[in-house]
């Protein structure tokens, strides 16, 4: 671990913010316990005011060393943004803990475990989703463990102090796990309720295959940004209906990767390999398998791009900036609406719909192969499949439980009252109770979920 200079500044935390935010912050910090709204944590993404918090010089230096450690070697733009967000959450914690403290360079202000608990309670009751609150706690927990191991010069916290602080944060994380689990299942259940029907998915595929060549013609004769983004929407819609990839796969696909496929393609088809995507560490490259016709759309767009004026970056779905597009969901929704479909749609919903189809209509071996191609973790999804059944799955479980009860009663495993209850009524004479009930499939039940994990 690298060490950092921690001596020097003993001044309280200062803020380099706009006047309105600064005044609100000073008023909020004048209280013993800040209360919602959290004025140094307003806004979202790059507009969040937590990013404007400035610590004393020695602490700021150490925080930046930690940030560099978290980013690692050759970080992607996404990883840099994630690390910036984590640092902002840590600064939120430090501001809370340092309120009313004159000397900060020795880090002893962190010893107040009661205040640590107060911050955890404050974060969880600040109007954030419980999963976001957990993210705050995990970010701080990771930083504290790094601080504990780094042997920072000037830090007067003892090993016992750090153990108590980390233990307090860990306990607060464990206290949230029940709420997080319940929240996750509620979110997944609501997502399943919003899945488009199979008729809509098939209609979307048919419209996309017709509209993509038409939009390419328009871009060749009369290029406009509206047509360009609608084309992006239809291309990513078509790919998502086939492969269910996350939007980062399409956004990060580069011109070089496309040209490489063009050189190595065959008369039977082409496979585009995309290196940079969310789960590349686990699944490696993501693939898009295209027929000759589908790849001809890709190469035609490559040719049209060469004749367009204005700046272009290295990505197949280029933007005028230097980074990959972050608006693909908006383009997807525009294409979905253009196709005349009304159900709300996102890449996540399409990915869930495809995973649901695979789960219901493929054998386990085929499902495993297709899930890996989707860069989809089946083991995580199975946790939700088992606990979020549709009507058909629920009735099968009901039938299995009744069959188990009947088998136990025949062997004398149930008390007389239970046996007589099971043996009475018309249902007991129905031999179909020992096999699954044949009920209409409502077509839902699969979930795609990834969860934040901290080392």
């Amino acid at each position: 671990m690298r060490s950092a200079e921690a001596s020097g500044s003993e001044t309280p935390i200062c803020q380099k913010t706009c006047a309105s935010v600064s005044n609100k912050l000073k008023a909020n910090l004048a209280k013993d316990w800040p209360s919602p709204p959290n004025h140094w944590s307003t806004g979202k993404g790059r507009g969040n005011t937590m990013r404007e918090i400035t610590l004393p010089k020695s602490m700021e230096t150490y925080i930046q060393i930690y940030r560099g450690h978290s980013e690692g070697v050759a970080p992607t733009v996404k990883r840099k943004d994630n690390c910036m967000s984590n640092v902002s959450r840590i600064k939120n914690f430090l501001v809370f803990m340092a309120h009313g403290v004159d000397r900060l360079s020795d880090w002893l202000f962190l010893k107040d475990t009661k205040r640590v608990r107060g911050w955890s309670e404050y974060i969880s009751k600040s109007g954030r989703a419980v999963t976001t609150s957990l993210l705050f706690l995990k970010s701080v927990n990771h930083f504290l463990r790094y601080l504990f191991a780094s042997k920072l010069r000037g830090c007067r916290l003892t090993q016992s102090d750090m153990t108590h602080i980390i233990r307090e944060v860990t306990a607060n994380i464990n206290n949230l796990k029940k709420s997080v689990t319940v929240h996750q299942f509620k979110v997944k259940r609501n997502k399943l309720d919003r899945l488009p029907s199979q008729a809509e998915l098939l209609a979307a595929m048919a419209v996309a295959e017709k509209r993509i060549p038409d939009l390419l013609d328009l871009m060749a004769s009369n290029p406009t940004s509206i047509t360009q983004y609608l084309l992006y929407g239809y291309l990513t819609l078509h790919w998502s209906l086939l492969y269910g990839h996350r939007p980062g796969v399409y956004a990060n696909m580069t011109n070089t990767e496309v040209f490489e496929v063009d050189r190595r393609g065959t008369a039977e088809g082409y496979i585009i390999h995309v290196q940079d995507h969310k789960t590349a560490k686990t699944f490696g490259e993501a693939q898009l398998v295209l027929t000759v016709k589908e790849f001809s759309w890709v190469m035609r767009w490559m040719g049209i791009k060469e004749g367009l004026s204005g700046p272009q970056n290295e990505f197949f779905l280029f933007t005028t900036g230097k980074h990959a597009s972050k608006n693909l969901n908006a383009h997807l929704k525009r294409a979905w609406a253009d196709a005349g479909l009304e159900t709300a749609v996102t890449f996540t919903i399409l990915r869930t719909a495809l995973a649901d189809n695979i789960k219901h209509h493929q054998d386990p071996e085929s499902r495993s192969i297709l899930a890996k191609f989707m860069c989809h973790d089946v083991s995580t999804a199975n946790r939700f499949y088992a606990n979020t059944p549709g009507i058909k799955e629920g009735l099968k479980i009901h039938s299995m439980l009744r069959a188990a009860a009947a088998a136990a009663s025949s062997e004398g495993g149930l008390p007389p009252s239970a046996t007589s209850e099971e043996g009475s009524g018309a249902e007991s004479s129905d031999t179909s109770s020992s096999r699954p009930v044949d009920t209409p499939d409502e077509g839902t039940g699969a979930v795609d979920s990834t969860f934040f994990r901290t080392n």
Side-chain angles (χ1 to χ4, degrees):
M1 290 290 182
R2 291 179 289 184
S3 63
E5 183 69 40
S7 60
S9 173
E10 297 180 1
T11 57
I13 294 175
C14 60
Q15 307 293 323
K16 294 181 180 178
T17 60
C18 62
S20 60
V21 174
S22 179
N23 291 335
K24 289 179 180 179
L25 178 59
K26 290 176 181 178
N28 210 7
L29 289 178
K31 304 175 183 179
D32 288 338
W33 295 105
S35 58
N38 174 342
H39 293 299
W40 62 88
S41 179
T42 58
K44 295 182 179 180
R46 297 185 182 185
N48 196 303
T49 55
M50 286 194 299
R51 297 184 178 219
E52 301 175 15
I53 295 174
T54 303
L55 302 173
K57 184 177 179 180
S58 61
M59 297 179 70
E60 192 69 42
T61 300
Y62 183 72
I63 289 289
Q64 294 309 315
I65 290 175
Y66 169 76
R67 179 182 172 184
H69 163 76
S70 299
E71 289 180 353
V73 179
T76 63
V77 173
K78 180 64 174 177
R79 184 165 183 83
K80 287 182 177 179
D81 283 346
N82 288 343
C83 289
M84 170 63 83
S85 297
N86 283 337
V87 165
S88 298
R89 298 182 193 108
I90 292 163
K91 287 184 175 182
N92 179 292
F93 168 71
L94 294 176
V95 167
F96 190 101
M97 294 298 297
H99 171 55
V101 179
D102 293 329
R103 183 180 179 87
L104 303 179
S105 58
D106 56 14
W107 295 81
L108 289 176
F109 65 93
L110 295 178
K111 284 183 63 175
D112 190 347
T113 54
K114 181 179 179 181
R115 182 167 288 200
V116 172
R117 192 179 308 120
W119 176 79
S120 302
E121 182 180 1
Y122 171 54
I123 287 298
S124 63
K125 293 182 179 180
S126 58
R128 297 177 178 88
V130 65
T131 46
T132 305
S133 299
L134 185 66
L135 195 61
F136 270 72
L137 290 169
K138 287 192 171 185
S139 295
V140 168
N141 187 52
H142 189 274
F143 171 74
L144 291 173
R145 292 179 183 278
Y146 179 86
L147 177 64
F148 182 33
S150 64
K151 311 298 181 184
L152 179 64
R153 195 173 104 187
C155 178
R156 296 177 58 190
L157 290 169
T158 66
Q159 180 175 345
S160 178
D161 293 336
M162 291 302 301
T163 299
H164 281 88
I165 297 167
I166 292 172
R167 182 181 297 161
E168 181 64 42
V169 175
T170 303
N172 294 328
I173 289 173
N174 291 333
N175 289 338
L176 281 181
K177 285 185 177 179
K178 176 182 177 181
S179 298
V180 167
T181 301
V182 172
H183 172 81
Q184 283 181 309
F185 279 102
K186 182 178 180 180
V187 169
K188 303 312 171 187
R189 186 169 60 252
N190 291 338
K191 185 170 69 172
L192 292 173
D193 291 340
R194 299 195 306 269
L195 290 183
S197 66
Q198 293 304 308
E200 287 179 301
L201 297 178
L202 292 174
M205 177 71 79
V207 174
E209 291 177 348
K210 180 179 183 300
R211 289 287 280 148
I212 290 172
D214 293 343
L215 292 169
L216 288 169
D217 290 340
L218 283 174
M219 285 300 298
S221 60
N222 182 28
T224 65
S225 60
I226 294 177
T227 304
Q228 176 185 341
Y229 295 143
L230 186 58
L231 174 64
Y232 286 3
Y234 270 113
L235 284 171
T236 54
L237 171 60
H238 187 266
W239 295 335
S240 292
L241 291 170
L242 288 173
Y243 316 118
H245 283 311
R246 297 180 178 88
V249 174
Y250 316 133
N252 293 322
M253 186 167 68
T254 64
N255 297 327
T256 302
E257 289 168 339
V258 173
F259 281 129
E260 180 182 353
V261 174
D262 186 37
R263 291 192 298 268
R264 296 192 298 114
T266 69
E268 297 178 349
Y270 300 79
I271 301 180
I272 301 176
H273 300 273
V274 181
Q275 297 181 6
D276 185 9
H277 63 102
K278 181 177 181 180
T279 54
K281 181 178 179 180
T282 303
F283 294 98
E285 296 175 324
Q287 289 88 32
L288 279 74
V289 181
L290 305 178
T291 65
V292 173
K293 176 183 177 181
E294 292 165 351
F295 189 71
S296 70
W297 300 338
V298 171
M299 292 309 298
R300 190 174 181 202
W301 174 238
M302 293 294 290
I304 292 173
K305 289 200 299 181
E306 294 179 359
L308 298 178
S309 60
Q312 297 183 19
N313 56 27
E314 62 177 320
F315 300 102
F316 175 75
L317 302 178
F318 76 89
T319 65
T320 54
K322 63 180 180 179
H323 301 307
S325 174
K326 294 187 176 181
N327 298 320
L328 292 186
N329 250 316
H331 305 331
L332 174 77
K333 292 176 181 179
R334 188 176 294 113
W336 187 263
D338 182 77
L341 302 172
E342 297 181 355
T343 304
V345 70
T346 63
F347 286 106
T348 301
I349 288 176
L350 292 180
R351 182 176 170 85
T352 302
L354 185 57
D356 180 71
N357 289 341
I358 293 171
K359 182 241 179 176
H360 280 93
H361 305 295
Q362 298 291 336
D363 59 80
E365 182 178 356
S366 298
R367 179 190 171 203
S368 177
I369 294 172
L370 294 173
K372 288 180 180 178
F373 189 87
M374 292 173 60
C375 302
H376 171 54
D377 187 352
V378 176
S379 62
T380 300
N382 281 342
R383 173 171 171 244
F384 291 98
Y385 292 153
N387 292 279
T388 314
I391 293 297
K392 182 176 180 179
E393 289 82 0
L395 290 175
K396 284 183 178 179
I397 292 171
H398 179 273
S399 178
M400 291 166 65
L401 291 172
R402 291 187 65 86
S409 65
S410 65
E411 297 176 1
L414 290 178
S417 59
T419 304
S420 61
E421 181 179 345
E422 284 292 324
S424 62
E427 290 182 349
S428 62
S429 62
D430 185 359
T431 58
S432 65
S433 63
S434 62
R435 61 179 184 273
V437 177
D438 186 15
T439 57
D441 190 352
E442 62 177 6
T444 61
V447 172
D448 167 44
S449 173
T450 55
F451 187 68
F452 178 91
R453 294 180 175 88
T454 304
N455 295 332

